[in-house]
PDB file of all heavy atoms in Angstrom:
ATOM      1  N   ARG I 316       6.537   1.347  -4.390  1.00  0.00           N
ATOM      2  CA  ARG I 316       7.676   1.668  -3.512  1.00  0.00           C
ATOM      3  C   ARG I 316       8.177   3.070  -3.786  1.00  0.00           C
ATOM      4  O   ARG I 316       8.484   3.836  -2.856  1.00  0.00           O
ATOM      5  CB  ARG I 316       8.801   0.654  -3.714  1.00  0.00           C
ATOM      6  CG  ARG I 316       8.573  -0.684  -3.065  1.00  0.00           C
ATOM      7  CD  ARG I 316       9.865  -1.488  -2.976  1.00  0.00           C
ATOM      8  NE  ARG I 316      10.429  -1.740  -4.298  1.00  0.00           N
ATOM      9  CZ  ARG I 316      10.147  -2.791  -5.044  1.00  0.00           C
ATOM     10  NH1 ARG I 316       9.290  -3.705  -4.607  1.00  0.00           N
ATOM     11  NH2 ARG I 316      10.718  -2.957  -6.230  1.00  0.00           N
ATOM     12  N   ASP I 320       4.967   3.600  -0.776  1.00  0.00           N
ATOM     13  CA  ASP I 320       4.174   2.510  -0.198  1.00  0.00           C
ATOM     14  C   ASP I 320       4.951   1.207  -0.373  1.00  0.00           C
ATOM     15  O   ASP I 320       4.625   0.380  -1.216  1.00  0.00           O
ATOM     16  CB  ASP I 320       2.808   2.428  -0.887  1.00  0.00           C
ATOM     17  CG  ASP I 320       1.908   1.364  -0.262  1.00  0.00           C
ATOM     18  OD1 ASP I 320       2.259   0.852   0.823  1.00  0.00           O
ATOM     19  OD2 ASP I 320       0.855   1.029  -0.852  1.00  0.00           O
ATOM     20  N   PRO I 321       5.974   0.977   0.456  1.00  0.00           N
ATOM     21  CA  PRO I 321       6.799  -0.226   0.286  1.00  0.00           C
ATOM     22  C   PRO I 321       6.095  -1.513   0.692  1.00  0.00           C
ATOM     23  O   PRO I 321       6.577  -2.606   0.385  1.00  0.00           O
ATOM     24  CB  PRO I 321       8.004   0.053   1.199  1.00  0.00           C
ATOM     25  CG  PRO I 321       7.479   0.993   2.239  1.00  0.00           C
ATOM     26  CD  PRO I 321       6.465   1.844   1.554  1.00  0.00           C
ATOM     27  N   GLN I 322       4.967  -1.406   1.417  1.00  0.00           N
ATOM     28  CA  GLN I 322       4.270  -2.592   1.900  1.00  0.00           C
ATOM     29  C   GLN I 322       3.230  -3.125   0.921  1.00  0.00           C
ATOM     30  O   GLN I 322       2.559  -4.111   1.221  1.00  0.00           O
ATOM     31  CB  GLN I 322       3.583  -2.266   3.243  1.00  0.00           C
ATOM     32  CG  GLN I 322       4.533  -1.870   4.346  1.00  0.00           C
ATOM     33  CD  GLN I 322       5.499  -2.989   4.690  1.00  0.00           C
ATOM     34  OE1 GLN I 322       5.129  -4.152   4.737  1.00  0.00           O
ATOM     35  NE2 GLN I 322       6.766  -2.635   4.910  1.00  0.00           N
ATOM     36  N   TRP I 323       3.055  -2.480  -0.248  1.00  0.00           N
ATOM     37  CA  TRP I 323       2.001  -2.889  -1.180  1.00  0.00           C
ATOM     38  C   TRP I 323       2.136  -4.354  -1.578  1.00  0.00           C
ATOM     39  O   TRP I 323       1.172  -5.120  -1.530  1.00  0.00           O
ATOM     40  CB  TRP I 323       2.047  -1.992  -2.421  1.00  0.00           C
ATOM     41  CG  TRP I 323       1.012  -2.333  -3.444  1.00  0.00           C
ATOM     42  CD1 TRP I 323      -0.271  -1.879  -3.505  1.00  0.00           C
ATOM     43  CD2 TRP I 323       1.172  -3.220  -4.571  1.00  0.00           C
ATOM     44  NE1 TRP I 323      -0.926  -2.414  -4.596  1.00  0.00           N
ATOM     45  CE2 TRP I 323      -0.063  -3.240  -5.264  1.00  0.00           C
ATOM     46  CE3 TRP I 323       2.229  -3.977  -5.061  1.00  0.00           C
ATOM     47  CZ2 TRP I 323      -0.262  -4.005  -6.411  1.00  0.00           C
ATOM     48  CZ3 TRP I 323       2.030  -4.740  -6.202  1.00  0.00           C
ATOM     49  CH2 TRP I 323       0.797  -4.746  -6.863  1.00  0.00           C
ATOM     50  N   SER I 324       3.316  -4.762  -1.964  1.00  0.00           N
ATOM     51  CA  SER I 324       3.522  -6.129  -2.421  1.00  0.00           C
ATOM     52  C   SER I 324       3.285  -7.137  -1.299  1.00  0.00           C
ATOM     53  O   SER I 324       2.678  -8.197  -1.514  1.00  0.00           O
ATOM     54  CB  SER I 324       4.942  -6.288  -2.973  1.00  0.00           C
ATOM     55  OG  SER I 324       5.144  -7.584  -3.469  1.00  0.00           O
ATOM     56  N   ARG I 325       3.726  -6.794  -0.095  1.00  0.00           N
ATOM     57  CA  ARG I 325       3.531  -7.697   1.043  1.00  0.00           C
ATOM     58  C   ARG I 325       2.054  -7.870   1.358  1.00  0.00           C
ATOM     59  O   ARG I 325       1.577  -8.990   1.610  1.00  0.00           O
ATOM     60  CB  ARG I 325       4.278  -7.162   2.269  1.00  0.00           C
ATOM     61  CG  ARG I 325       4.070  -7.978   3.539  1.00  0.00           C
ATOM     62  CD  ARG I 325       4.916  -7.446   4.691  1.00  0.00           C
ATOM     63  NE  ARG I 325       4.645  -8.156   5.928  1.00  0.00           N
ATOM     64  CZ  ARG I 325       3.695  -7.807   6.780  1.00  0.00           C
ATOM     65  NH1 ARG I 325       2.921  -6.733   6.520  1.00  0.00           N
ATOM     66  NH2 ARG I 325       3.512  -8.491   7.887  1.00  0.00           N
ATOM     67  N   HIS I 326       1.307  -6.765   1.348  1.00  0.00           N
ATOM     68  CA  HIS I 326      -0.124  -6.853   1.633  1.00  0.00           C
ATOM     69  C   HIS I 326      -0.841  -7.653   0.549  1.00  0.00           C
ATOM     70  O   HIS I 326      -1.747  -8.448   0.850  1.00  0.00           O
ATOM     71  CB  HIS I 326      -0.720  -5.458   1.745  1.00  0.00           C
ATOM     72  CG  HIS I 326      -0.299  -4.730   2.981  1.00  0.00           C
ATOM     73  ND1 HIS I 326      -0.578  -3.399   3.202  1.00  0.00           N
ATOM     74  CD2 HIS I 326       0.384  -5.150   4.070  1.00  0.00           C
ATOM     75  CE1 HIS I 326      -0.092  -3.036   4.372  1.00  0.00           C
ATOM     76  NE2 HIS I 326       0.502  -4.077   4.912  1.00  0.00           N
ATOM     77  N   ARG I 327      -0.453  -7.457  -0.705  1.00  0.00           N
ATOM     78  CA  ARG I 327      -1.063  -8.220  -1.791  1.00  0.00           C
ATOM     79  C   ARG I 327      -0.815  -9.713  -1.602  1.00  0.00           C
ATOM     80  O   ARG I 327      -1.714 -10.533  -1.794  1.00  0.00           O
ATOM     81  CB  ARG I 327      -0.496  -7.749  -3.131  1.00  0.00           C
ATOM     82  CG  ARG I 327      -1.070  -8.479  -4.335  1.00  0.00           C
ATOM     83  CD  ARG I 327      -0.366  -8.050  -5.613  1.00  0.00           C
ATOM     84  NE  ARG I 327      -0.966  -8.702  -6.785  1.00  0.00           N
ATOM     85  CZ  ARG I 327      -0.668  -9.922  -7.181  1.00  0.00           C
ATOM     86  NH1 ARG I 327       0.229 -10.627  -6.505  1.00  0.00           N
ATOM     87  NH2 ARG I 327      -1.255 -10.453  -8.239  1.00  0.00           N
TER      88      ARG I 327
END
Side-chain angles (χ1 to χ4, degrees):
R316 284 196 300 270
D320 184 11
Q322 298 298 320
W323 180 87
S324 182
R325 176 176 176 272
H326 289 171
R327 180 185 183 278

